[in-house]
Amino acid sequence: TGILGMLWNVLSACSSLLLLCVVSGEPLRFKDGKFRIAQFTDLHYGEDEFTLWGPRQDKNSDHVMHSILRSEKPDFVLFTGDVLTGNNIDSNATAYWKYVLSPCLQHDTPWAHVFGNHDDLSKRNGDRVTLLKYDQTFNLSYSVVGPKNLFGVTNYFLPIYGENSDFVEAVIYSLDSGGGKIQEQVTPAQIKWLVETYQLNLKEYGPVPSILAFHIPPPEFETLFKTGVCTGYLNNTVLPLPSKGLYETILSLPHIYLVTTGHYHENDYCCPTKNKFLCQGRHSGYGGYSKIRRGSRIIQLEKDTLQTWIRMENEEVRDHLVLKYNE
């Protein structure tokens, strides 16, 4: 295993007392005044692995990621769930996991994972903790096994430091919305953890711009889309998710300026409300259902503004939005 991967695996520690996940390793940093994130969601590698169709779709998904990484040159990749169709994988799930990571490894781009509802369904080495600990063996992984007293695994945050300073200038928060071998939900304890961790970070870092990622959006996102103020598409109905209080909590945290999700393959909306964007990533993989072209949601954090847009596999850019933090 790589040295940084070992550091993150061994030195990552979660304090249930503080409800805070503390991580050690090479810090993420702004570059030239910005931090650019490419969101890859619902790649669904390993679907129909014993057919000609399945491996061909995995290669097509490779092409999507390589195209985005070449054109955008992001500082970071955020995988927001369902990188695997685990229920179709009979062989070792970690082999597919490494396959998913290959484009990031080739482009030397660090990443972190948020689990979806299909990742943990493989018969061999397919549970959430095993997959994430395997992920942590790679130098470029910033994934964290979150506090053991919380539902799910990918409940954590990542600080992003200034280019040449020891000051944190942004934060990425992650929640595990479950599914697969566990129920699809965001629990009250997870929401409490998010609020308390946000408040602790506000005291520690100040009012730095932040984003939040999880896989399954709550139905309030569709209600917001229907107001007509959003960009993008909502072709798949957003079904109920047990997550009482999540939407209201998101709106109540002023420095979380963008929330992004996945799960619904033919949605890619982004809705402005309460000086923040509530968004869905663009379907990135050729596995799974979808009649829309593949791509990635790009999120760019800057000193005074946040930008987001969709970068398509064919390099087309669409739905570019800009938010000024203090307006």
mmCIF file of all heavy atoms in Angstrom, residues 208-232:
data_model
loop_
_atom_site.group_PDB
_atom_site.id
_atom_site.type_symbol
_atom_site.label_atom_id
_atom_site.label_comp_id
_atom_site.label_asym_id
_atom_site.label_seq_id
_atom_site.Cartn_x
_atom_site.Cartn_y
_atom_site.Cartn_z
ATOM 1 N N VAL A 208 -16.282 29.534 6.312
ATOM 2 C CA VAL A 208 -15.708 29.185 5.012
ATOM 3 C C VAL A 208 -16.777 28.545 4.129
ATOM 4 O O VAL A 208 -17.689 27.881 4.619
ATOM 5 C CB VAL A 208 -14.504 28.235 5.166
ATOM 6 C CG1 VAL A 208 -13.387 28.917 5.953
ATOM 7 C CG2 VAL A 208 -14.900 26.925 5.824
ATOM 8 N N PRO A 209 -16.703 28.729 2.800
ATOM 9 C CA PRO A 209 -17.672 28.096 1.903
ATOM 10 C C PRO A 209 -17.574 26.583 1.962
ATOM 11 O O PRO A 209 -16.483 26.017 2.030
ATOM 12 C CB PRO A 209 -17.280 28.631 0.524
ATOM 13 C CG PRO A 209 -15.851 29.043 0.658
ATOM 14 C CD PRO A 209 -15.697 29.522 2.070
ATOM 15 N N SER A 210 -18.726 25.935 1.918
ATOM 16 C CA SER A 210 -18.788 24.483 2.059
ATOM 17 C C SER A 210 -19.788 23.902 1.081
ATOM 18 O O SER A 210 -20.698 24.591 0.617
ATOM 19 C CB SER A 210 -19.196 24.105 3.498
ATOM 20 O OG SER A 210 -18.320 24.674 4.453
ATOM 21 N N ILE A 211 -19.620 22.609 0.796
ATOM 22 C CA ILE A 211 -20.586 21.864 0.000
ATOM 23 C C ILE A 211 -20.920 20.572 0.738
ATOM 24 O O ILE A 211 -20.180 20.144 1.628
ATOM 25 C CB ILE A 211 -20.082 21.569 -1.429
ATOM 26 C CG1 ILE A 211 -18.933 20.553 -1.418
ATOM 27 C CG2 ILE A 211 -19.664 22.846 -2.149
ATOM 28 C CD1 ILE A 211 -18.566 20.021 -2.796
ATOM 29 N N LEU A 212 -22.044 19.972 0.357
ATOM 30 C CA LEU A 212 -22.504 18.725 0.964
ATOM 31 C C LEU A 212 -22.869 17.752 -0.142
ATOM 32 O O LEU A 212 -23.524 18.136 -1.121
ATOM 33 C CB LEU A 212 -23.732 18.997 1.844
ATOM 34 C CG LEU A 212 -24.536 17.789 2.352
ATOM 35 C CD1 LEU A 212 -23.694 16.924 3.289
ATOM 36 C CD2 LEU A 212 -25.810 18.260 3.053
ATOM 37 N N ALA A 213 -22.447 16.498 -0.001
ATOM 38 C CA ALA A 213 -22.746 15.473 -1.006
ATOM 39 C C ALA A 213 -23.340 14.241 -0.340
ATOM 40 O O ALA A 213 -22.893 13.812 0.726
ATOM 41 C CB ALA A 213 -21.475 15.087 -1.763
ATOM 42 N N PHE A 214 -24.370 13.679 -0.964
ATOM 43 C CA PHE A 214 -24.907 12.369 -0.599
ATOM 44 C C PHE A 214 -25.593 11.801 -1.827
ATOM 45 O O PHE A 214 -25.808 12.509 -2.816
ATOM 46 C CB PHE A 214 -25.833 12.432 0.620
ATOM 47 C CG PHE A 214 -26.915 13.469 0.552
ATOM 48 C CD1 PHE A 214 -28.182 13.157 0.101
ATOM 49 C CD2 PHE A 214 -26.670 14.766 0.974
ATOM 50 C CE1 PHE A 214 -29.186 14.110 0.061
ATOM 51 C CE2 PHE A 214 -27.674 15.736 0.943
ATOM 52 C CZ PHE A 214 -28.929 15.412 0.475
ATOM 53 N N HIS A 215 -25.961 10.527 -1.786
ATOM 54 C CA HIS A 215 -26.395 9.852 -3.006
ATOM 55 C C HIS A 215 -27.863 10.092 -3.347
ATOM 56 O O HIS A 215 -28.194 10.472 -4.469
ATOM 57 C CB HIS A 215 -26.128 8.353 -2.904
ATOM 58 C CG HIS A 215 -26.473 7.587 -4.149
ATOM 59 N ND1 HIS A 215 -25.805 7.765 -5.346
ATOM 60 C CD2 HIS A 215 -27.425 6.651 -4.391
ATOM 61 C CE1 HIS A 215 -26.328 6.975 -6.269
ATOM 62 N NE2 HIS A 215 -27.322 6.291 -5.716
ATOM 63 N N ILE A 216 -28.755 9.839 -2.410
ATOM 64 C CA ILE A 216 -30.190 9.873 -2.698
ATOM 65 C C ILE A 216 -30.785 11.196 -2.229
ATOM 66 O O ILE A 216 -30.753 11.499 -1.028
ATOM 67 C CB ILE A 216 -30.924 8.706 -2.015
ATOM 68 C CG1 ILE A 216 -30.279 7.366 -2.387
ATOM 69 C CG2 ILE A 216 -32.401 8.707 -2.403
ATOM 70 C CD1 ILE A 216 -30.865 6.177 -1.638
ATOM 71 N N PRO A 217 -31.349 11.986 -3.133
ATOM 72 C CA PRO A 217 -31.918 13.277 -2.719
ATOM 73 C C PRO A 217 -33.270 13.100 -2.043
ATOM 74 O O PRO A 217 -33.992 12.136 -2.314
ATOM 75 C CB PRO A 217 -32.071 14.025 -4.051
ATOM 76 C CG PRO A 217 -32.283 12.944 -5.054
ATOM 77 C CD PRO A 217 -31.446 11.775 -4.590
ATOM 78 N N PRO A 218 -33.646 14.044 -1.185
ATOM 79 C CA PRO A 218 -34.990 14.011 -0.603
ATOM 80 C C PRO A 218 -36.016 14.543 -1.599
ATOM 81 O O PRO A 218 -35.670 15.278 -2.537
ATOM 82 C CB PRO A 218 -34.864 14.938 0.611
ATOM 83 C CG PRO A 218 -33.800 15.913 0.215
ATOM 84 C CD PRO A 218 -32.832 15.143 -0.652
ATOM 85 N N PRO A 219 -37.299 14.211 -1.424
ATOM 86 C CA PRO A 219 -38.326 14.618 -2.392
ATOM 87 C C PRO A 219 -38.532 16.120 -2.487
ATOM 88 O O PRO A 219 -39.059 16.609 -3.494
ATOM 89 C CB PRO A 219 -39.588 13.918 -1.881
ATOM 90 C CG PRO A 219 -39.323 13.612 -0.448
ATOM 91 C CD PRO A 219 -37.848 13.374 -0.348
ATOM 92 N N GLU A 220 -38.113 16.871 -1.469
ATOM 93 C CA GLU A 220 -38.255 18.332 -1.523
ATOM 94 C C GLU A 220 -37.481 18.940 -2.693
ATOM 95 O O GLU A 220 -37.818 20.031 -3.175
ATOM 96 C CB GLU A 220 -37.775 18.963 -0.216
ATOM 97 C CG GLU A 220 -38.664 18.700 0.973
ATOM 98 C CD GLU A 220 -38.259 17.458 1.753
ATOM 99 O OE1 GLU A 220 -37.505 16.623 1.200
ATOM 100 O OE2 GLU A 220 -38.683 17.321 2.913
ATOM 101 N N PHE A 221 -36.441 18.227 -3.179
ATOM 102 C CA PHE A 221 -35.684 18.737 -4.321
ATOM 103 C C PHE A 221 -36.574 18.806 -5.561
ATOM 104 O O PHE A 221 -36.471 19.738 -6.357
ATOM 105 C CB PHE A 221 -34.464 17.854 -4.585
ATOM 106 C CG PHE A 221 -33.289 18.121 -3.673
ATOM 107 C CD1 PHE A 221 -33.481 18.585 -2.379
ATOM 108 C CD2 PHE A 221 -31.995 17.883 -4.095
ATOM 109 C CE1 PHE A 221 -32.408 18.832 -1.525
ATOM 110 C CE2 PHE A 221 -30.904 18.131 -3.260
ATOM 111 C CZ PHE A 221 -31.117 18.599 -1.975
ATOM 112 N N GLU A 222 -37.449 17.808 -5.744
ATOM 113 C CA GLU A 222 -38.357 17.841 -6.887
ATOM 114 C C GLU A 222 -39.383 18.966 -6.731
ATOM 115 O O GLU A 222 -39.720 19.647 -7.705
ATOM 116 C CB GLU A 222 -39.075 16.505 -7.054
ATOM 117 C CG GLU A 222 -40.077 16.533 -8.195
ATOM 118 C CD GLU A 222 -40.609 15.165 -8.578
ATOM 119 O OE1 GLU A 222 -39.988 14.153 -8.221
ATOM 120 O OE2 GLU A 222 -41.652 15.120 -9.262
ATOM 121 N N THR A 223 -39.877 19.158 -5.522
ATOM 122 C CA THR A 223 -40.816 20.250 -5.267
ATOM 123 C C THR A 223 -40.192 21.581 -5.644
ATOM 124 O O THR A 223 -40.839 22.438 -6.263
ATOM 125 C CB THR A 223 -41.226 20.263 -3.785
ATOM 126 O OG1 THR A 223 -41.792 18.996 -3.440
ATOM 127 C CG2 THR A 223 -42.235 21.359 -3.504
ATOM 128 N N LEU A 224 -38.930 21.761 -5.296
ATOM 129 C CA LEU A 224 -38.228 22.988 -5.645
ATOM 130 C C LEU A 224 -38.071 23.117 -7.158
ATOM 131 O O LEU A 224 -38.242 24.209 -7.725
ATOM 132 C CB LEU A 224 -36.852 23.011 -4.961
ATOM 133 C CG LEU A 224 -35.984 24.242 -5.184
ATOM 134 C CD1 LEU A 224 -36.685 25.505 -4.698
ATOM 135 C CD2 LEU A 224 -34.639 24.073 -4.477
ATOM 136 N N PHE A 225 -37.758 22.001 -7.829
ATOM 137 C CA PHE A 225 -37.597 22.033 -9.286
ATOM 138 C C PHE A 225 -38.867 22.529 -9.964
ATOM 139 O O PHE A 225 -38.820 23.271 -10.955
ATOM 140 C CB PHE A 225 -37.227 20.647 -9.812
ATOM 141 C CG PHE A 225 -37.041 20.581 -11.301
ATOM 142 C CD1 PHE A 225 -35.822 20.895 -11.878
ATOM 143 C CD2 PHE A 225 -38.093 20.219 -12.135
ATOM 144 C CE1 PHE A 225 -35.641 20.856 -13.250
ATOM 145 C CE2 PHE A 225 -37.926 20.169 -13.509
ATOM 146 C CZ PHE A 225 -36.693 20.494 -14.065
ATOM 147 N N LYS A 226 -40.013 22.147 -9.425
ATOM 148 C CA LYS A 226 -41.287 22.502 -10.049
ATOM 149 C C LYS A 226 -41.615 23.980 -9.944
ATOM 150 O O LYS A 226 -42.571 24.449 -10.571
ATOM 151 C CB LYS A 226 -42.403 21.652 -9.440
ATOM 152 C CG LYS A 226 -42.334 20.185 -9.841
ATOM 153 C CD LYS A 226 -43.430 19.366 -9.190
ATOM 154 C CE LYS A 226 -43.369 17.909 -9.643
ATOM 155 N NZ LYS A 226 -44.412 17.075 -8.975
ATOM 156 N N THR A 227 -40.838 24.744 -9.165
ATOM 157 C CA THR A 227 -41.065 26.189 -9.095
ATOM 158 C C THR A 227 -40.594 26.899 -10.353
ATOM 159 O O THR A 227 -40.917 28.067 -10.560
ATOM 160 C CB THR A 227 -40.348 26.794 -7.883
ATOM 161 O OG1 THR A 227 -38.916 26.628 -8.038
ATOM 162 C CG2 THR A 227 -40.792 26.133 -6.596
ATOM 163 N N GLY A 228 -39.807 26.197 -11.190
ATOM 164 C CA GLY A 228 -39.408 26.760 -12.471
ATOM 165 C C GLY A 228 -38.161 27.616 -12.459
ATOM 166 O O GLY A 228 -37.858 28.289 -13.445
ATOM 167 N N VAL A 229 -37.409 27.606 -11.345
ATOM 168 C CA VAL A 229 -36.225 28.467 -11.253
ATOM 169 C C VAL A 229 -34.929 27.704 -11.528
ATOM 170 O O VAL A 229 -33.843 28.267 -11.422
ATOM 171 C CB VAL A 229 -36.132 29.127 -9.861
ATOM 172 C CG1 VAL A 229 -37.350 29.999 -9.605
ATOM 173 C CG2 VAL A 229 -35.975 28.067 -8.762
ATOM 174 N N CYS A 230 -35.030 26.431 -11.888
ATOM 175 C CA CYS A 230 -33.856 25.560 -11.947
ATOM 176 C C CYS A 230 -33.342 25.402 -13.380
ATOM 177 O O CYS A 230 -34.080 25.570 -14.344
ATOM 178 C CB CYS A 230 -34.196 24.182 -11.385
ATOM 179 S SG CYS A 230 -34.995 24.223 -9.773
ATOM 180 N N THR A 231 -32.082 25.031 -13.485
ATOM 181 C CA THR A 231 -31.507 24.608 -14.755
ATOM 182 C C THR A 231 -31.575 23.088 -14.842
ATOM 183 O O THR A 231 -31.800 22.395 -13.855
ATOM 184 C CB THR A 231 -30.038 25.041 -14.882
ATOM 185 O OG1 THR A 231 -29.273 24.410 -13.827
ATOM 186 C CG2 THR A 231 -29.890 26.556 -14.769
ATOM 187 N N GLY A 232 -31.358 22.558 -16.046
ATOM 188 C CA GLY A 232 -31.230 21.117 -16.214
ATOM 189 C C GLY A 232 -32.550 20.382 -16.306
ATOM 190 O O GLY A 232 -33.608 20.961 -16.562
#
